[in-house]
Amino acid sequence: MGLPEVLEAMEAACRRAGRDPREVRLVAVTKGRSVEEIREKVLRYGSFPLGESRVQEALKKMEVLKAEWHLIGPLQRNKAKFAPRFALIHSLDSLRLAEALDRVGEKAGMRLKVLVEVNLGREPRKHGFLEEELPEALARIREMEHLSVLGLMTVPPIGPEAVVRPIFRRLSELADRYGLPERSMGMSDDFPIAIEEGATLVRVGRALFVD
């Protein structure tokens, strides 16, 4: 596919849903990709947020690439101290992590921007809060002075449109319910469906780098 084709597909999905394409941002997932690949396949086309799943890999790339960095993978509490290096944490998946990030934000003198991860597929191996845990979790996280909750994130079960579309739709409904503007959902195989259901951030990696 490639980045130009991904952007075209994003615009087409917005048109189908009657949305303004400016409402949706592409987060280029650069996990496992070299600096050279990122420059050639992503940054030559403009400035895009870069998403990494692992803190250590992101820190190495930050040394040579100036970009808006997002952390999209699970964050271990012992690496929470690196959170201020990221413009947005997509994967706040527990109250213990929220407390750790709040302390980091206090020490850094800043409010860390976060998305709360929701495990709508109820998959045991996936991270995130269950839907019924969300009201209490959001209430507690919103009380933390050094966290700014911008929205929700989810990773649906692998499956056809009939599986993923209801998950995306539900995340948008929950974001609306709690007055949260950002919805991080959709990856290489399903980002058009996510956009049709209200995604504001799509996390695309493989489709950008496959010739």
Side-chain angles (χ1 to χ4, degrees), residues 3-209:
L3 193 144
E5 291 78 14
V6 168
L7 293 178
E8 288 177 9
M10 289 173 62
E11 288 194 19
C14 286
R15 286 196 299 272
R16 289 194 296 273
R19 300 181 63 193
D20 184 339
R22 291 173 294 184
E23 295 176 3
V24 189
R25 297 178 76 198
L26 169 67
V27 179
V29 178
T30 52
K31 172 185 174 183
R33 303 296 177 176
S34 68
V35 168
E36 292 72 22
E37 283 182 289
I38 297 167
R39 285 176 173 150
E40 172 66 20
K41 300 289 189 177
V42 178
L43 298 180
R44 65 178 289 198
Y45 297 106
S47 178
F48 297 90
L50 304 182
E52 281 287 340
S53 296
R54 297 186 178 90
V55 169
Q56 293 305 123
E57 185 175 351
L59 293 176
K60 291 178 182 177
K61 293 172 182 174
M62 285 177 185
E63 293 177 3
V64 291
L65 291 176
K66 292 191 179 299
E68 177 184 318
W69 290 92
H70 292 198
L71 185 68
I72 62 171
L75 177 61
Q76 296 173 326
R77 290 195 305 280
N78 63 358
K79 290 189 171 64
K81 62 185 177 182
F82 297 112
R85 302 286 300 276
F86 295 91
L88 182 62
I89 307 291
H90 288 234
S91 48
L92 176 51
D93 59 8
S94 72
L95 286 174
R96 291 182 70 188
L97 177 59
E99 290 162 355
L101 289 172
D102 189 47
R103 291 191 293 269
V104 168
E106 181 178 18
K107 188 173 181 179
M110 64 186 295
R111 294 187 78 193
L112 300 175
K113 295 178 180 178
V114 300
L115 305 178
V116 173
E117 183 170 357
V118 191
N119 183 356
L120 289 173
R122 311 184 75 86
E123 295 178 273
R125 295 186 180 182
K126 291 267 179 74
H127 296 262
F129 295 94
L130 298 178
E131 182 177 336
E132 62 268 24
E133 298 170 335
L134 200 54
E136 181 182 354
L138 276 175
R140 291 182 61 182
I141 295 167
R142 281 172 153 171
E143 290 174 351
M144 298 180 187
E145 294 184 4
H146 296 91
L147 295 184
S148 179
V149 182
L150 302 186
L152 304 177
M153 184 271 259
T154 197
V155 181
I158 296 172
E161 180 177 340
V163 170
V164 300
R165 187 179 290 277
I167 297 285
F168 295 149
R169 183 173 299 156
R170 186 59 181 156
L171 193 81
S172 282
E173 291 170 351
L174 290 170
D176 286 342
R177 175 185 299 176
Y178 296 108
L180 296 168
E182 300 285 6
R183 304 99 196 267
S184 173
M185 57 189 191
M187 295 185 286
S188 287
D189 290 332
D190 53 24
F191 69 87
I193 301 171
I195 290 170
E196 290 170 3
E197 295 299 336
T200 61
L201 295 157
V202 290
R203 311 178 304 271
V204 180
R206 188 182 69 255
L208 302 178
F209 294 93

